[in-house]
Amino acid sequence: MQSLSHHYHQLIGLPSNWKVEKINLSMTGKQIEIRLVYEGKQVDCPVCGQVGNLYDHTAEQRWRHLDTMQFETILVARLPRCQCKEHGIKTAQPPWAARHSRFTLLFESFAIELLQHCASIKAAAQMLRLDWHALNQIMKRAVERGLKRRENDEMTYLGIDEKSFKSGHHYVTALNDLEQGRVLEVVEHRTTDAAKEALETLNQKQKESVKAVAMDMWKPFASAVQELLPNADLVHDRFHVSKYLNEAVDAVRRKESRELDESGDKRLVGSKYLWLRNPERMRQEQQEEWRELMAGEFKTGQAWALKNMFRVFWQLGCADAASFFFEYWSKRVDAVGLSPLIKVKELLQRHFDNILTYFKHAITNAVSEGLNSKIQIVKASARGFHRFESYRTRILFYCGKLNMAIER
Ligand SMILES: [Zn+2]
């Protein structure tokens, strides 16, 4: 027994003032209980770190540890309480666990590793024999550790985007680091306050170092950036512009398809996704179908041509050339006279200064789009996020590229 106690003492990494008092093995419960006792006369105050006298002990507490030979292993101890001259009576921090955790640090480290490599959270929970709530707590602490370690990182190019949360019209604001392809923060709603709350997670130095922020033409986000990031340009990027153009083409198609349908012409029915694709990305049969539709001289075809023409805009080398092209394109839009496209043209005109900034910074929310699909996976693997907090925790856990390691 003596050597087994010694073995566990080393395995848990206990300091010399803690002793393994007893090891209880339950064959039927497949459980090992390791009872620990504090033998010091003095205790470190958890607030100031100064040494105080031992006052008394707390009631017994239990921590889940890594399994031993497939036996669930539990540490049991009464924590010493310190009598600090400054802070009064305080419960000491156990060397094997984080504050308020029911798990040892080694167990949490293992759980984090496993979660990062498991295809689904459910699979990890089963392997660890943990319930959803316990796993959530471990992830939450891991994210908090990671966020604290981020304060020296440099931030140059950011993206702000909205995402849907739950089903229906409930949104969150996501702040992304475009250079490192990671989510920095997620806040409920898509208001100026939400965007400001996300930006406030940056320290002053980081705020000053941001050169530009890519975003949709959405006033609340723009206001927040202008207020909090003194040196940042706004860039209404090509992903959002493309989204508006695609929506305009689809609006033209729907109207035209309805009109044709009335006279029994169904050629546009079911063609929605064809118009969203770039011809060079179409498969052979899609290309043929598309050419046929273009030959039909539909209004939808004209709308599509205007959308496709706009791709040139982003390839021009400088703001002057881009402005010149935009004027030409706007005239074409007016000449064709389709109102959904005219509306997009007017929208772009109103925000034109912050579209031209692309030629200074060349950033897009393409990274955010990539993160979006990763977030979709996180969402799908945990059906029904009822609480925003756990949604945020999971996004930051999987898409935040945080250093969540536990240091002992
Ligand atoms: Zn103290």
Side-chain angles (χ1 to χ4, degrees), residues 158 160 173-175 185-203 207 215 218-229:
L158 304 182
I160 297 187
T173 300
L175 179 66
E185 188 53 271
V186 191
V187 179
E188 212 171 352
H189 310 300
R190 51 171 176 178
T191 56
T192 306
D193 283 346
K196 276 165 74 176
E197 196 183 321
L199 291 171
E200 286 292 8
T201 59
L202 307 179
N203 60 37
K207 283 183 198 159
M215 68 171 77
W218 176 246
K219 186 90 171 53
F221 290 170
S223 310
V225 169
Q226 280 159 344
E227 193 178 325
L228 295 179
L229 306 181

Side-chain angles (χ1 to χ4, degrees), residues 163-166 374-385 391 395:
K163 280 178 214 322
S164 68
F165 167 55
K166 299 190 207 168
K374 217 172 158 188
I375 288 169
Q376 274 320 111
I377 298 167
V378 174
K379 272 166 85 173
S381 77
R383 249 154 273 191
F385 280 100
Y391 176 76
I395 290 177

Side-chain angles (χ1 to χ4, degrees), residues 45 47-50 84 86-87:
C45 167
V47 185
C48 62
Q50 286 194 67
C84 175
E86 217 181 316
H87 299 102

Side-chain angles (χ1 to χ4, degrees), residues 115-116 118-126 132 135-136 139 372-385 390-391 393-395 397-399:
L115 278 164
Q116 283 171 326
C118 252
S120 82
I121 296 169
K122 205 175 154 201
Q126 274 168 357
W132 187 89
L135 258 193
N136 210 47
M139 289 170 91
N372 269 347
S373 55
K374 217 172 158 188
I375 288 169
Q376 274 320 111
I377 298 167
V378 174
K379 272 166 85 173
S381 77
R383 249 154 273 191
F385 280 100
S390 50
Y391 176 76
T393 299
R394 285 181 190 206
I395 290 177
F397 189 92
Y398 285 105
C399 310

Side-chain angles (χ1 to χ4, degrees), residues 166-280:
K166 299 190 207 168
S167 42
H169 299 282
H170 199 94
Y171 290 93
V172 302
T173 300
L175 179 66
N176 302 319
D177 172 357
L178 299 182
E179 284 188 305
Q180 293 203 45
R182 57 180 174 169
V183 178
L184 295 174
E185 188 53 271
V186 191
V187 179
E188 212 171 352
H189 310 300
R190 51 171 176 178
T191 56
T192 306
D193 283 346
K196 276 165 74 176
E197 196 183 321
L199 291 171
E200 286 292 8
T201 59
L202 307 179
N203 60 37
Q204 196 52 36
K205 198 173 155 222
Q206 288 168 330
K207 283 183 198 159
E208 283 167 16
S209 69
V210 177
K211 288 184 184 156
V213 184
M215 68 171 77
D216 196 358
M217 289 160 267
W218 176 246
K219 186 90 171 53
F221 290 170
S223 310
V225 169
Q226 280 159 344
E227 193 178 325
L228 295 179
L229 306 181
N231 305 318
D233 287 329
L234 302 182
V235 180
H236 298 313
D237 64 299
R238 78 181 281 181
F239 272 81
H240 287 107
V241 172
S242 301
K243 197 184 87 190
Y244 286 109
L245 288 167
N246 276 324
E247 282 167 4
V249 173
D250 197 50
V252 173
R253 180 197 63 82
R254 270 182 287 135
K255 184 162 181 277
E256 189 174 29
S257 180
R258 243 191 340 263
E259 285 163 5
L260 290 172
D261 205 6
E262 277 166 16
S263 54
D265 183 342
K266 299 204 182 289
R267 281 178 294 166
L268 285 178
V269 173
S271 67
K272 176 175 178 177
Y273 292 98
L274 208 54
W275 302 107
L276 295 179
R277 266 200 192 93
N278 294 331
E280 63 267 25

